[in-house]
Amino acid sequence: MKKVFTLATLIFALVLTSTVSAQEFSGIDKSPMDMAAYPTDYKVSEKAVRIIYGRPQLKGRSMEELAPTGKVWRTGANEAAEITFYKDVTFGGKAIKAGTYSLFTIPGGDEWTVILNKNLNQWGSYFYDESADVARVTVPNGSDAASLEEFSIAFKDANGGAELVMGWDKTRVAVPITM
């Protein structure tokens, strides 16, 4: 009887093991998530601001196809980008309390509207609610000779604070932040 119990236990364990090892994982996301923070130096652990966003790629498409002019865009891919301010700041001239916000943009030919929205965990901009906007700032649309295949966000030191710089294709947009 002891041998039967041992054999049954072994078979049960093998069945469970094969089920666990059969787990399938999704492949690599075609628009991987990325993060940028300020101060940018990794040695500075106390950050003032951090943004998490998806990085879509042009892959032969125009930026206009992926981020249409004049329409609210999630500012990246997949989920709407989320920006966290760890202290009160001035974002594009508007006073913003410390906290986490969704980041939306409205691309334009000469200028972009950059929007901070209090509704979090949004997929895309499908359920964007303008009444939840905390701030809207308008910044000039710049350009660069170098083209970026992947949408990118970075921070750079500027005027006693920082600039949130977004770039894709040859478009560059910068929002001043003072702390």
Side-chain angles (χ1 to χ4, degrees), residues 96-132:
I96 303 297
K97 294 284 185 195
T100 301
Y101 305 92
S102 291
L103 179 74
F104 292 98
T105 49
I106 302 174
D110 297 324
E111 59 188 24
W112 280 36
T113 301
V114 182
I115 305 165
L116 298 179
N117 185 280
K118 65 182 174 184
N119 293 339
L120 302 176
N121 302 314
Q122 299 184 63
W123 180 263
S125 57
Y126 304 109
F127 303 103
Y128 166 75
D129 178 6
E130 185 175 346
S131 69

